[in-house]
Amino acid sequence: METKHYKARIEWYTDPSHYPLHTWLRDIVTIDGVVVDRQIIGQTWTVPVRITSFIDDTWSSYADVGFLVEEAPWHLLETGYTFRLWAGKDIATVTIL
């Protein structure tokens, strides 16, 4: 299974300083659909995230992100594409650089 990685900027909804740098976070997904009563309706894809640096005085970071499954929307993953990260709740917005 191919994994392709992209450089990204992440706007976190809470302080991300508790996440380690340069370590792959693997319990995060993106949702192509909606969440109703904490149930996901639609497709989801695992999104490994590796924070490479924090941006001073913000809740933003730079990171490497990727999709682990072949059915992921590869054609969308180009500069400027934005998607949300979910880990039990919305936690961030990612923009591909």
Side-chain angles (χ1 to χ4, degrees):
M1 185 178 314
E2 179 184 3
T3 301
K4 190 169 181 183
H5 298 101
Y6 299 85
K7 300 291 183 194
R9 179 182 171 122
I10 301 178
E11 305 291 330
W12 299 93
Y13 302 153
T14 60
D15 184 359
S17 63
H18 64 281
Y19 292 121
L21 286 174
H22 308 292
T23 300
W24 286 105
L25 308 172
R26 300 194 181 274
D27 296 332
I28 300 174
V29 298
T30 188
I31 301 167
D32 182 18
V34 296
V35 178
V36 177
D37 296 327
R38 298 182 58 92
Q39 295 289 338
I40 299 170
I41 300 171
Q43 293 181 309
T44 64
W45 292 278
T46 299
V47 181
V49 174
R50 178 174 58 192
I51 298 171
T52 56
S53 65
F54 293 108
I55 299 172
D56 291 338
D57 301 319
T58 71
W59 282 356
S60 300
S61 67
Y62 291 109
D64 296 323
V65 297
F67 286 87
L68 296 176
V69 295
E70 293 184 20
E71 296 83 20
W74 296 108
H75 64 284
L76 297 176
L77 299 175
E78 58 185 38
T79 300
Y81 179 67
T82 300
F83 58 92
R84 293 184 339 254
L85 296 179
W86 195 81
K89 63 180 178 179
D90 280 329
I91 60 170
T93 298
V94 176
T95 302
I96 302 295
L97 298 178

